[in-house]
Amino acid sequence: MHSPSFHRWMTCGLLSVLAGCSGLSGERSTVTAQPAPRLSAESAAPLPARWWQLYRDPQLDALVARALRQNKDLEAAAAHVDALLARLEQADGERLPSTSLDYGLAYGRSRDDQTLAQATHGHAGAEWSHTPEFSLSYTLDLWGEVRYRIAAARADAHVARALEDELRVTVAAQTTRAYAQACVYGLQAQVQAHSVQVLEQSVAVTQKLQKAGAATDLDLSRLQGLLEETRAPLALFSARRRSALYELAVLSGLPPEQVTPHHCSQGLQLQAPLPVGEGWALVQRRPDIRRAEGQLRAATSRVGLSRAELYPRITFGAMLGSSASSLGKLGDRYATVYSVGPLVSWRFPNRQIAQAQVKQSQAEARQALATFDGTVLNALKQVEQAMALYQGEQQRRQALAAALDNNRRAFDLASRGYHAGALDALQLLDSERSLVGLEARVAESDLRVINRQIDLFQALGGGWQRDDQTAPLPIVAGAKP
């Protein structure tokens, strides 16, 4: 089922990501994949952004689009992304100088007035005082603390956006799956109802033959038992269809009667060859891989952030104020006060806390690297398994369809032979039982094929793209511990 180019790009792309994406040292991981047979319904074209449109069902397209707009989990995830983007803006603001403007007004006597009155043996009267002050401070980013904090905040925003994309993939897959189940369960009920109708006709014919003495009570009882056995799943198919419609209604935010499929006479079928694209596109497309990559970038940035705590922090500050007692004296040179100079703060000589934080961040970075490697390997496994299972189910469906055609011919021959007296009722019953069972298995296989298709689309990471594409967040250059 897999094209050679897909496996070549998949293996090379994932190997390169595992070996060179992180900034940490360690042994290179290896990935090996065995090529599987190619199916005729496969295309090397890239997976489209909205893979459910390959079914060319307008109602399904509208339901998925509505589900992506109405889902509350997606709304909460989008709000979380906005919160982290605001935190990124806050971290980015630390690169600029910090300024403050203060103005105080008070009435009374100051300590200086009291001291002067004591020295001159005079009296210190109460008066208004004005204390305007403008201050400026700027932390010199000598050790990259601000750069690492910005890089970590940016990576956290990437992680939140990837989580939102994962939810979009899940919601699109759930909506398509519920719609497909509603279709197939309705078709299964129709197939089962047709089988019931055929058996009712056989029972009616057998009752006439019994009255004529050409059939026994045993023949009639066997047919009636098969009839009730075939009728039994009808209620279950109806219940499963209603359950799928309720799920579809919750996902899309519409009443169940408005989500009932109207174009499901043949069930959902791909109207174009199944596109799989190439391995490198898979790595860039899957949200869980981008999430793990963002977590790794954030962890490595925090290593540099914790290392910066080992060195002194130098802050340059300046202050300009006035000690005037009235508004008219604010600009007086004798009332003007100012200060300019650096401030050095350093956790020394006790640096045990800072060193422990460095060890902790390094361990968390190694954990993030292992998680990233595992995520990439798991992505490859999921795609390979989904393709293999889809191929197997498709071949099974083809074999069941061929068997169903043969059983239909056999049942037709058995019916003619039975009415001509060449075959007994037991042989006809066996033929009918086989036909009814195969029709049910083919209908069940239709649902399995669609589910395998959706599993494959989900494993390939399709469905997270938005109509309003958000510009990607670039990683700050030079923020490497």
Side-chain angles (χ1 to χ4, degrees):
M1 164 148 192
H2 310 63
S3 62
S5 61
F6 176 85
H7 285 278
R8 180 171 63 253
W9 279 99
M10 172 75 77
T11 305
C12 295
L14 295 182
L15 279 172
S16 63
V17 171
L18 288 173
C21 183
S22 68
L24 301 177
S25 61
E27 296 182 358
R28 295 188 176 185
S29 304
T30 57
V31 182
T32 57
Q34 297 297 327
R38 179 184 176 89
L39 284 184
S40 58
E42 177 195 344
S43 168
L47 184 68
R50 296 165 184 81
W51 49 264
W52 54 88
Q53 294 181 353
L54 294 174
Y55 294 107
R56 296 180 184 174
D57 189 319
Q59 187 180 7
L60 173 61
D61 298 342
L63 288 173
V64 174
R66 182 178 177 86
L68 292 176
R69 291 194 308 267
Q70 301 292 330
N71 188 269
K72 297 303 178 182
D73 292 335
L74 279 175
E75 185 177 345
H80 182 56
V81 172
D82 292 338
L84 290 182
L85 289 177
R87 185 184 300 177
L88 173 60
E89 292 182 5
Q90 178 183 352
D92 188 65
E94 295 182 8
R95 297 187 301 175
L96 303 176
S98 175
T99 58
S100 64
L101 180 62
D102 303 315
Y103 181 84
L105 177 65
Y107 179 79
R109 290 180 293 186
S110 66
R111 290 189 179 90
D112 293 339
D113 293 337
Q114 289 287 77
T115 302
L116 180 61
Q118 184 179 5
T120 59
H121 302 285
H123 175 71
E127 60 181 1
W128 289 95
S129 63
H130 303 266
T131 54
E133 180 179 302
F134 174 77
S135 60
L136 179 146
S137 63
Y138 179 71
T139 301
L140 301 179
D141 192 24
L142 300 178
W143 323 115
E145 179 181 1
V146 176
R147 296 197 307 274
Y148 289 129
R149 186 174 289 111
I150 294 174
R154 196 177 299 272
D156 289 338
H158 273 287
V159 171
R161 183 171 292 174
L163 283 171
E164 182 187 2
D165 293 342
E166 283 188 75
L167 278 174
R168 293 181 67 87
V169 172
T170 302
V171 169
Q174 287 177 340
T175 305
T176 306
R177 196 184 305 275
Y179 184 86
Q181 288 175 349
C183 282
V184 174
Y185 288 141
L187 292 176
Q188 285 182 326
Q190 293 178 13
V191 170
Q192 203 74 8
H194 178 263
S195 299
V196 169
Q197 183 180 3
V198 171
L199 287 172
E200 287 175 343
Q201 294 174 356
S202 297
V203 168
V205 171
T206 303
Q207 287 175 341
K208 293 179 180 180
L209 293 175
Q210 182 192 27
K211 292 179 181 180
T216 64
D217 292 340
L218 179 60
D219 297 335
L220 180 60
S221 298
R222 284 174 174 173
L223 270 177
Q224 289 175 337
L226 179 58
L227 172 61
E228 296 305 320
E229 180 183 349
T230 307
R231 198 196 308 272
L234 282 174
L236 182 59
F237 290 147
S238 178
R240 288 177 176 175
R241 185 172 185 270
R242 290 197 304 271
S243 176
L245 290 176
Y246 290 146
E247 181 176 0
L248 192 58
V250 171
L251 288 168
S252 60
L254 291 172
E257 59 271 11
Q258 294 187 20
V259 299
T260 303
H262 302 304
H263 308 284
C264 284
S265 58
Q266 300 295 329
L268 283 183
Q269 295 181 356
L270 289 177
Q271 303 299 318
L274 192 150
V276 295
E278 60 185 21
W280 181 246
L282 167 67
V283 174
Q284 294 177 315
R285 182 172 55 229
R286 279 191 55 134
D288 57 340
I289 294 180
R290 291 186 286 112
R291 170 175 53 84
E293 181 184 6
Q295 291 172 340
L296 178 57
R297 292 185 183 277
T300 53
S301 297
R302 291 189 176 95
V303 173
L305 186 61
S306 60
R307 282 177 178 170
E309 294 291 335
L310 296 173
Y311 305 103
R313 179 180 299 176
I314 302 176
T315 303
F316 177 83
M319 185 274 293
L320 176 64
S322 176
S323 59
S325 59
S326 64
L327 290 176
K329 297 180 180 180
L330 287 179
D332 193 285
R333 63 190 183 93
Y334 295 104
T336 301
V337 295
Y338 66 91
S339 64
V340 178
L343 173 64
V344 180
S345 60
W346 192 12
R347 293 181 180 178
F348 186 83
N350 183 9
R351 300 196 298 169
Q352 181 178 357
I353 296 178
Q355 291 173 343
Q357 289 176 344
V358 171
K359 293 179 181 178
Q360 178 183 352
S361 60
Q362 288 176 338
E364 290 174 349
R366 292 195 300 272
Q367 178 186 0
L369 175 60
T371 301
F372 175 77
D373 289 349
T375 302
V376 175
L377 291 172
N378 187 61
L380 175 60
K381 180 198 73 173
Q382 288 180 355
V383 173
E384 294 289 347
Q385 288 179 338
M387 285 186 170
L389 292 174
Y390 172 61
Q391 177 194 21
E393 193 61 47
Q394 195 177 39
Q395 292 175 347
R396 177 175 178 269
R397 171 64 175 79
Q398 294 172 354
L400 287 174
L404 180 60
D405 291 338
N406 291 328
N407 272 266
R408 283 173 177 165
R409 288 194 295 269
F411 174 70
D412 183 61
L413 293 174
S415 298
R416 294 179 182 179
Y418 176 71
H419 290 101
L423 297 179
D424 59 19
L426 183 59
Q427 291 173 310
L428 176 63
L429 179 64
D430 289 340
S431 180
E432 284 185 305
R433 190 186 300 275
S434 298
L435 178 60
V436 170
L438 271 173
E439 286 179 339
R441 290 167 65 186
V442 168
E444 180 184 358
S445 182
D446 289 336
L447 179 59
R448 288 178 176 270
V449 168
I450 296 175
N451 282 332
R452 295 305 183 191
Q453 288 174 354
I454 297 173
D455 291 341
L456 178 56
F457 287 133
Q458 192 170 2
L460 290 172
W464 58 265
Q465 294 85 349
R466 303 169 177 81
D467 293 330
D468 52 339
Q469 283 293 324
T470 307
L473 296 172
I475 300 298
V476 174
K480 295 182 180 180

